[in-house]
Every structure is written in C-alpha cells, then in structure tokens.
Amino acid sequence: MLKLSCNVTNHLHTFSFFSDSSLFIPVNRRTIAVSSSQLRKPALDPLRAVISADQGSITPVNSCTPADRFRAGRLMEDGYSYKEKFIVRSYEVGINKTATVETIANLLQEVACNHVQKCGFSTDGFATTLTMRKLHLIWVTARMHIEIYKYPAWSDVVEIETWCQSEGRIGTRRDWILRDSATNEVIGRATSKWVMMNQDTRRLQRVTDEVRDEYLVFCPREPRLAFPEENNSSLKKIPKLEDPAQYSMLELKPRRADLDMNQHVNNVTYIGWVLESIPQEIIDTHELQVITLDYRRECQQDDIVDSLTTSEIPDDPISKLTGTNGSATSSIQGHSESQFLHMLRLSEDGQEINRGRTQWRKKSSR
C-alpha cells in the first residue's frame, strides 16, 4: 500500500489527482503541496486517495480488499458516482416471480454503503465521517422516493449507479438510476434525503461545516438529479392520513432482524409494513410503480406499529370498499391504476412514525 507521511490531526481529508505536477490538500484550513509523480500507481481508479488522520498516511481508496474482489462495483471516472452490478437471487423474488420492492430498496442501500466505503468512509456505520464518529453523529433517512418501471426477474443482472450531494444546510441527498445490465434500459430511479442525528440523544442536528467539508469533496460540483423533470412526483408533499382509514393492519411488531447497525428499525422494514395494509385485490391484480415515504420518527425494537391505508383518488373504485387488515369486500377488476395514502403510527399513543404514498399499475401478462 502506498503511504506518504503527513502531519494531519483530527480530520479525514481527501484529494483528487490532476494532470499538473502537484496537488493541493486542505488540512485544518491550511494547504500543503504534494507531488503527484510520487503518488502515481497503476490501477489507481478513479485516481482518488484518502489522507487518514488516524494513521497520518495517504491510502488509495481503491486498495483491493477481500470484499472488492467479489463486488462488481467501481467508482466512475469523474470520481463522483459509483456503479455496481447485482444478480437477483431466488430468495429476492416474490409472488410475481420478480424482485420485490424491498429487494430493490435493499440494493439501493447496499450500493450506497459500498459507494461511501469505496470513498474511504467508516464501515462501522452508514457513511459516518471521522468528525461524525467523534461527535456520535449518524445519518438517518428523512425521505425515500422509488419509481420502478420494470421489475427484474430471478437471475437478471441489475446495474445501479448512485451519487450524493448537499441538500441545503440540513442534510444530504442521494440519487440512484437502475438499469437492465443486458440492455442498458433504465428500469427504475430513486432519490432520498438524509439528516444527521445524535446517536446518544436521538435528536436531529444541523450539519456542520466541518462535516460538510469531509463529504462534499465526493459530491458533484453541479446539481445532478435522478428526477430532473419539473414538478416530478418525488417533490409532491404527502398529506396526513386521517382516521378512519379504509384499511389497516394492526399491532405489527419489529423483529430483532429488523434492527440495523444504528440500533433502530431499518428504513426498508417500513416499506413492508406499509404494504401490509394494501387490499389483497390490489396485490393480486396490480404491481407497485411508485412509493414515497416520509420518515417522521424512529422506531425501536419494543414499539408496536399500526399500518393504515386509504385511497387517495376519490372516484377510485377501491375507495368504495371497506375492510380491515388488508381485506377487500368487492371486485376492482379492470381498474388500471390506483393510488393510496399511508401512515404508520405507534399503537400505544398514535404518534406518527411514517407517512407515505403509493401508485400501482395493472399487472401486465408475462
């Protein structure tokens, strides 16, 4: 591993290689010059490195680890986005013989974590920087929006590209584009917003300049959006679902396996809970096209959760149905699209955990 002695303290700093003879590295608001000829090394892709304050050394980000030998992922030439290919496994498909939306969401999370790990961030938390670890800060999801145009089937290979960027002063955003690896067809897009939380107090915290400086070097200089269209559905606000809900699945309990490394219920688990109260006839005749979730409070292992669903389209035939625990009472055959509002709340006191919106399209014959 290539190392260069460097006096750095308390920070994780990054730099990019350029064609000129030297490069300048910010260190505690100072600048030092390093000869790029001393740091050139074959297979350094995409010519990025990390200065570790812990070891006082420069380490190429793409130094090969055991995991890297098996991952089909790489940083792109600009150093700002990351692509990885995944094979859809048999245990990742559902009743439609295609990947479930939970599978898609897990892959989005996996490629995001692999991206930040490739950039040199912590592997013992979700993209925590050195300053964040020192201050016991973590990233938590504030909003997730996923659109799926075509679900991959068992053994299909999906290529996912991801990148992150600043989102004002309160957090960051991360976007994804999903492609069929065989045809390069875009089969899905997603975007998300993340905010910072103190792991000890469980309170949200403003992103400091120190933390921003640590991760912004890996972000595109100009805004880059998975959903560049004006007034796209990822921007729509989600109204609160009011009682009484048309459909409900009550007293859902987190499993131990639902907890993530930040000691709360993983954001993908919320997707499954939301879908539990969808009417069965929708599940039988439609497939999920769009899901948007706003995360309003975290859920712990001992919490008990109610899942509520109501049709958002007033003249939707499904709005005329009544039922509980996902049951339907009349036929909706022939209806091509449906849209629902959702809420997850604590069973004990009704506090809102999550609100969401889903759009469903009629299943195509396969």
Side-chain angles (χ1 to χ4, degrees):
M1 180 179 294
L2 181 64
K3 292 187 177 181
L4 177 65
S5 177
C6 185
N7 294 323
V8 251
T9 57
N10 301 327
H11 290 74
L12 178 73
H13 296 286
T14 58
F15 62 87
S16 297
F17 288 83
F18 299 97
S19 58
D20 53 3
S21 59
S22 65
L23 46 110
F24 295 90
I25 311 170
V27 178
N28 292 339
R29 302 188 184 280
R30 293 180 290 111
T31 301
I32 61 176
V34 180
S35 170
S36 59
S37 62
Q38 300 176 40
L39 300 173
R40 290 196 183 99
K41 181 179 179 181
L44 204 57
D45 178 24
L47 300 182
R48 299 182 72 82
V50 170
I51 301 180
S52 170
D54 297 333
Q55 301 176 0
S57 62
I58 296 178
T59 305
V61 169
N62 71 329
S63 350
C64 191
T65 68
D68 288 331
R69 298 189 183 101
F70 294 95
R71 286 186 185 135
R74 68 196 188 282
L75 281 166
M76 303 310 294
E77 291 182 1
D78 63 6
Y80 298 133
S81 68
Y82 175 84
K83 285 185 179 181
E84 187 168 351
K85 293 181 180 180
F86 300 91
I87 300 174
V88 178
R89 312 293 183 179
S90 60
Y91 53 82
E92 295 174 323
V93 303
I95 59 175
N96 296 330
K97 301 180 181 179
T98 56
T100 64
V101 65
E102 291 97 330
T103 293
I104 299 296
N106 276 319
L107 292 180
L108 297 181
Q109 184 168 275
E110 177 69 11
V111 72
C113 290
N114 292 345
H115 175 208
V116 296
Q117 185 176 348
K118 193 72 171 176
C119 292
F121 288 108
S122 170
T123 58
D124 60 357
F126 291 128
T128 52
T129 69
L130 187 64
T131 300
M132 291 178 66
R133 296 197 297 279
K134 181 176 66 175
L135 299 177
H136 297 182
L137 302 173
I138 58 175
W139 293 113
V140 293
T141 314
R143 168 172 271 223
M144 176 69 73
H145 177 86
I146 304 173
E147 296 187 7
I148 306 171
Y149 313 125
K150 177 183 177 183
Y151 281 88
W154 176 26
S155 296
D156 283 354
V157 178
V158 179
E159 182 179 68
I160 305 178
E161 180 179 6
T162 187
W163 63 94
C164 64
Q165 52 204 317
S166 178
E167 181 73 11
R169 301 293 300 178
I170 61 172
T172 64
R173 67 175 289 151
R174 176 170 289 277
D175 289 24
W176 298 264
I177 295 178
L178 298 84
R179 291 182 174 87
D180 184 323
S181 181
T183 64
N184 205 38
E185 174 189 4
V186 173
I187 60 174
R189 296 183 293 173
T191 187
S192 61
K193 295 182 181 180
W194 299 73
V195 293
M196 210 161 54
M197 173 188 284
N198 185 292
Q199 194 165 16
D200 299 326
T201 66
R202 316 308 288 186
R203 293 182 179 275
L204 298 183
Q205 184 160 326
R206 188 183 183 92
V207 179
T208 65
D209 290 338
E210 193 172 19
V211 171
R212 284 167 55 85
D213 289 345
E214 288 176 327
Y215 72 80
L216 281 182
V217 69
F218 294 106
C219 300
R221 295 296 176 263
E222 299 295 331
R224 181 184 176 194
L225 307 176
F227 297 92
E229 302 90 347
E230 188 175 355
N231 298 323
N232 66 81
S233 60
S234 73
L235 303 175
K236 293 178 63 177
K237 291 184 177 181
I238 304 174
K240 183 178 180 180
L241 188 154
E242 301 293 342
D243 278 336
Q246 290 174 297
Y247 299 92
S248 62
M249 180 67 77
L250 306 179
E251 299 187 349
L252 299 167
K253 299 179 180 180
R255 305 170 302 160
R256 293 189 182 97
D258 294 327
L259 301 182
D260 62 23
M261 64 183 78
N262 287 332
Q263 304 302 313
H264 58 200
V265 173
N266 186 277
N267 64 76
V268 177
T269 300
Y270 293 95
I271 296 177
W273 284 346
V274 163
L275 300 184
E276 282 298 307
S277 56
I278 287 288
Q280 186 60 45
E281 285 200 52
I282 288 289
I283 299 296
D284 292 340
T285 59
H286 290 64
E287 64 182 6
L288 182 63
Q289 180 175 353
V290 179
I291 182 168
T292 309
L293 296 178
D294 284 338
Y295 297 85
R296 309 187 73 82
R297 73 181 304 275
E298 63 177 343
C299 184
Q300 307 289 347
Q301 182 177 354
D302 295 332
D303 290 332
I304 300 177
V305 177
D306 294 339
S307 174
L308 309 177
T309 292
T310 292
S311 174
E312 191 176 21
I313 305 174
D315 58 353
D316 189 340
I318 197 68
S319 67
K320 301 175 183 178
L321 308 182
T322 57
T324 58
N325 291 347
S327 64
T329 58
S330 65
S331 175
I332 56 170
Q333 298 295 327
H335 193 57
S336 60
E337 293 186 2
S338 290
Q339 186 165 299
F340 297 91
L341 291 176
H342 307 273
M343 181 171 69
L344 298 178
R345 68 182 183 190
L346 293 178
S347 299
E348 182 178 11
D349 57 16
Q351 286 191 66
E352 187 179 22
I353 300 172
N354 181 294
R355 65 177 63 175
R357 174 186 285 114
T358 58
Q359 295 173 242
W360 300 73
R361 59 175 172 253
K362 190 79 172 178
K363 288 182 182 179
S364 60
S365 56
R366 301 186 184 278

